[in-house]
Amino acid sequence: MHSLLRRCSLATFLLASVTSIGHAQGLADLAQPMEGRSMRATSAHRTGPDGKFDPNGEFDPNSNWDNKNLEPGKTRVLMEADGPGVVTHLWMTFLGPQKHTWAKDGSANHQEMLLRIFYDGSDRPAVEAPVGDFFANCFGKRAEVISVPVVVEDADSYNCFWHMPFRKSIRIEVVNESKKPVSLLYYNIDWIKKDTIAEDVPYFYAQYKQEYPVKQGSDYVILDTKGKGHFVGTVLAVRSRSPSWFGEGDEKVYIDGEEKPSIWGTGTEDYFLSAWGLKTTSTPYFGTPYFDQWGIVGGHTAAYRWHVQDPWVFNKSIKVTMEHFGWMSPDENPDYKSTSWNERQDDYSSVAFWYQTGTPTFDARAPHAKERVLPSIERKVIHPTAMLDSLDHGHGLVRQQDINNYPEGHVFFKPESEGEGWIEIPFTVEKKEPLRLLVNATRAEDYGKYKATLDGVAIGGTMDFYNNEIDDWEYHLLDFWPEPGEHVLRMECVGRNHKSSGNYIGIESVRLRERRPRVIEMGHDKDKDWKEKPTLYN
């Protein structure tokens, strides 16, 4: 309860800070006369003369059924209107992907929902991005964002305040590219109907793209377009495929056709206005809504940067790029050294936000949701729940629990004493190749500290499974080239955190995660006996 109050207080404080910081110029604008008429497109329930739902009917004061479900493969038009006009605010909400009383089998996640906005009858969307990524919520994960143009309060109310002018017409739609429905979709879109829109007023654009993994020998391109306008924001999502820090790469921006970039940054975290790495945060103009674990193989980072006060202005063209350089583990380095300046092979996706007159020339398009899902990097996933009756363990209670929305649940072990706190998980290796061994486990307020051995050899450090809230965490243990055959991972209790009330353990899975192909090509550790010097690169 106390942690919930702290989160609510922080969110309230941040919202108040954004309001108080405000747009000084925006507040001044409110004291000026305004032209036009306010309008709204909404999911509020309407009925026709026959009393049945009619999107063009009258608002129904006797109904609270203001949400709409969107079945797989279907498109919901949220707004379709004639211009001139300016959209000033878009709000939507819907159920998360978890099973719910109103969605027994779960729902689509926001990465599987595609937001598209069309201006003036064009068949090419000016805005095309997964709903989540457009609101700086990447990887299909829900996260709170408290910023000036985008606010996702409590990780479930999606707001944007980008102004979107249109002249002839506008159509805003959401496409459900999931195999599950979008459940309980609510929306309100506020706009102002205008008499005219000046010829030099630019349109608002947002375009998603991805590279899984990034292309070797060329910087990652966030935006490349010809015309006149100004760049106003970036959302970037990175799934690391190598150990260590990915973000040493600089932003490089080419203005008006220049061959060498005149805007050149000092590092990825510096572009996102942080320093010495990234951590979870949300501020009016920059933030990192999602950051799971530092320096691991398979870590996720999502950050946003809004150029509201400092737009990049271009008259002929702009090309916004990001280097994908960072630290590298010795077994991925030709010289078997750990250095900070190596071209990495991580998975990148992004959304570029900009204003431009005319038609952009950026040819990126959002692939289908099934292609937006990050490819699996697991060589083998061992679920101990599948072998519950045959697991070797000390005396105590062992059972399967459905917790944390694990698809297979986890094995919960409550030993009778610290000395009985051990459990063994066997697995088979099919071929000799470089792999990373890790355990995905539950953390809770009554869980203990454990150490691991593999085939009797101590690996990794002490794993503390205590946390004041229930969550899951990856514990990375070993980089090795295991011999084909049978292996046994043993987890043994070595005590408890002084805050913990127990020495329990909950294991969702043991995972063998693939390493990049260049680890095989270089083969630095191929002929080494991992048992002599167990190594975890970080």
Side-chain angles (χ1 to χ4, degrees):
M1 173 63 74
H2 294 300
S3 61
L4 177 60
L5 289 175
R6 283 198 298 271
R7 288 200 303 274
C8 291
S9 298
L10 177 60
T12 302
F13 170 76
L14 288 172
L15 278 167
S17 298
V18 170
T19 303
S20 62
I21 290 171
H23 236 196
Q25 186 60 42
L27 292 174
D29 289 343
L30 293 178
Q32 303 296 323
M34 296 187 181
E35 179 270 324
R37 181 193 186 284
S38 291
M39 308 284 285
R40 170 173 284 185
T42 177
S43 63
H45 191 67
R46 295 170 179 258
T47 58
D50 59 359
K52 296 181 179 179
F53 171 70
D54 182 349
N56 299 312
E58 297 294 327
F59 291 114
D60 183 358
N62 300 313
S63 173
N64 191 38
W65 200 255
D66 296 327
N67 60 76
K68 305 292 183 287
N69 289 343
L70 182 56
E71 296 304 314
K74 300 297 183 180
T75 297
R76 169 73 62 183
V77 176
L78 310 187
M79 174 182 175
E80 193 161 23
D82 294 330
V86 180
V87 170
T88 56
H89 171 234
L90 188 156
W91 166 87
M92 66 172 67
T93 190
F94 41 85
L95 290 185
Q98 298 83 7
K99 293 180 180 180
H100 190 280
T101 304
W102 292 327
K104 301 291 187 182
D105 297 320
S107 304
N109 72 54
H110 55 209
Q111 187 188 43
E112 299 169 322
M113 301 164 60
L114 188 65
L115 174 66
R116 299 196 301 197
I117 301 177
F118 300 82
Y119 303 133
D120 301 346
S122 173
D123 59 359
R124 170 73 185 262
V127 172
E128 183 184 56
V131 167
D133 297 66
F134 181 83
F135 290 94
N137 272 227
C138 306
F139 310 115
K141 305 289 187 180
R142 287 189 163 198
E144 187 165 75
V145 176
I146 307 296
S147 74
V148 170
V150 171
V151 177
V152 186
E153 183 272 334
D154 199 31
D156 58 12
S157 68
Y158 301 74
N159 294 269
C160 95
F161 296 91
W162 297 113
H163 279 213
M164 305 177 191
F166 58 97
R167 290 177 170 80
K168 298 178 181 179
S169 63
I170 189 170
R171 186 172 84 252
I172 301 177
E173 63 185 29
V174 169
V175 185
N176 181 7
E177 297 182 335
S178 174
K179 294 181 179 179
K180 296 182 178 181
V182 176
S183 301
L184 306 191
L185 172 64
Y186 295 82
Y187 57 88
N188 288 313
I189 302 173
D190 297 302
W191 64 287
I192 298 175
K193 189 170 182 60
K194 297 280 191 176
D195 292 332
T196 60
I197 297 289
E199 290 186 6
D200 60 349
V201 171
Y203 290 95
F204 172 80
Y205 293 94
Q207 182 61 56
Y208 172 90
K209 73 180 292 285
Q210 66 184 44
E211 290 179 8
Y212 297 163
V214 288
K215 298 173 183 176
Q216 287 295 103
S218 61
D219 297 333
Y220 180 78
V221 177
I222 296 169
L223 173 65
D224 187 0
T225 186
K226 291 181 173 61
K228 177 177 174 56
H230 42 282
F231 182 81
V232 296
T234 304
V235 168
L236 181 69
V238 179
R239 198 267 298 269
S240 60
R241 298 292 298 272
S242 299
S244 303
W245 171 236
F246 72 86
E248 296 296 333
D250 305 333
E251 78 272 20
K252 292 156 60 177
V253 183
Y254 304 77
I255 302 291
D256 294 343
E258 60 190 4
E259 293 185 4
K260 296 182 179 180
S262 55
I263 297 175
W264 195 311
T266 55
T268 307
E269 74 267 42
D270 305 341
Y271 169 69
F272 288 102
L273 303 186
S274 293
W276 308 108
L278 293 170
K279 65 178 182 180
T280 304
T281 188
S282 188
T283 81
Y285 300 115
F286 68 93
T288 306
Y290 193 81
F291 183 92
D292 49 13
Q293 291 182 237
W294 177 272
I296 63 171
V297 177
H300 300 78
T301 303
Y304 65 86
R305 167 77 157 91
W306 309 133
H307 295 262
V308 172
Q309 302 287 5
D310 56 343
W312 286 334
V313 180
F314 57 97
N315 292 287
K316 296 179 180 178
S317 65
I318 189 170
K319 183 178 180 181
V320 181
T321 69
M322 184 72 72
E323 296 174 321
H324 40 91
F325 279 74
W327 285 86
M328 192 70 72
S329 58
D331 66 342
E332 291 196 42
N333 185 289
D335 300 323
Y336 199 61
K337 295 179 180 179
S338 178
T339 64
S340 65
W341 198 243
N342 300 265
E343 189 174 22
R344 290 174 55 103
Q345 300 172 333
D346 300 311
D347 297 318
Y348 277 50
S349 64
S350 61
V351 181
F353 300 80
W354 76 103
Y355 285 89
Q356 180 177 343
T357 55
T359 303
T361 60
F362 194 34
D363 61 2
R365 294 302 304 267
H368 191 275
K370 61 185 178 183
E371 298 173 42
R372 296 196 294 267
V373 177
L374 288 164
S376 174
I377 56 176
E378 313 296 0
R379 275 289 188 261
K380 181 181 284 287
V381 179
I382 302 97
H383 292 290
T385 52
M387 55 184 82
L388 185 62
D389 295 336
S390 61
L391 289 176
D392 288 332
H393 54 81
H395 292 290
L397 171 66
V398 176
R399 62 187 176 94
Q400 179 175 340
Q401 283 184 328
D402 294 322
I403 190 171
N404 270 9
N405 295 303
Y406 295 144
E408 308 295 332
H410 77 173
V411 165
F412 171 75
F413 177 39
K414 180 182 179 181
E416 291 182 356
S417 65
E418 180 180 317
E420 294 291 344
W422 62 269
I423 186 169
E424 294 183 344
I425 302 168
F427 61 89
T428 303
V429 172
E430 280 74 27
K431 68 175 183 178
K432 187 171 183 177
E433 62 179 331
L435 298 169
R436 169 163 288 205
L437 175 66
L438 63 122
V439 173
N440 189 59
T442 305
R443 300 191 300 182
E445 61 184 1
D446 50 1
Y447 281 32
K449 291 183 178 181
Y450 284 71
K451 284 190 173 181
T453 61
L454 180 63
D455 301 340
V457 178
I459 59 174
T462 299
M463 292 170 279
D464 188 350
F465 296 119
Y466 167 81
N467 197 46
N468 61 355
E469 295 181 341
I470 296 175
D471 69 358
D472 63 300
W473 196 256
E474 290 186 358
Y475 295 84
H476 291 232
L477 301 173
L478 181 68
D479 287 303
F480 68 146
W481 294 62
E483 294 293 336
E486 303 300 317
H487 299 269
V488 176
L489 178 70
R490 179 183 174 99
M491 307 286 285
E492 193 163 335
C493 185
V494 294
R496 69 176 70 170
N497 189 298
H498 70 279
K499 298 178 182 178
S500 179
S501 59
N503 51 18
Y504 316 150
I505 186 173
I507 302 176
E508 184 270 340
S509 62
V510 174
R511 295 171 181 251
L512 294 172
R513 187 163 289 171
E514 71 179 31
R515 297 293 309 280
R516 300 305 300 141
R518 59 188 173 200
V519 178
I520 298 176
E521 295 166 6
M522 295 174 189
H524 291 301
D525 295 340
K526 181 178 181 180
D527 298 323
K528 295 179 181 178
D529 185 351
W530 64 267
K531 297 179 181 179
E532 294 181 0
K533 187 180 179 181
T535 301
L536 177 69
Y537 292 111
N538 50 41

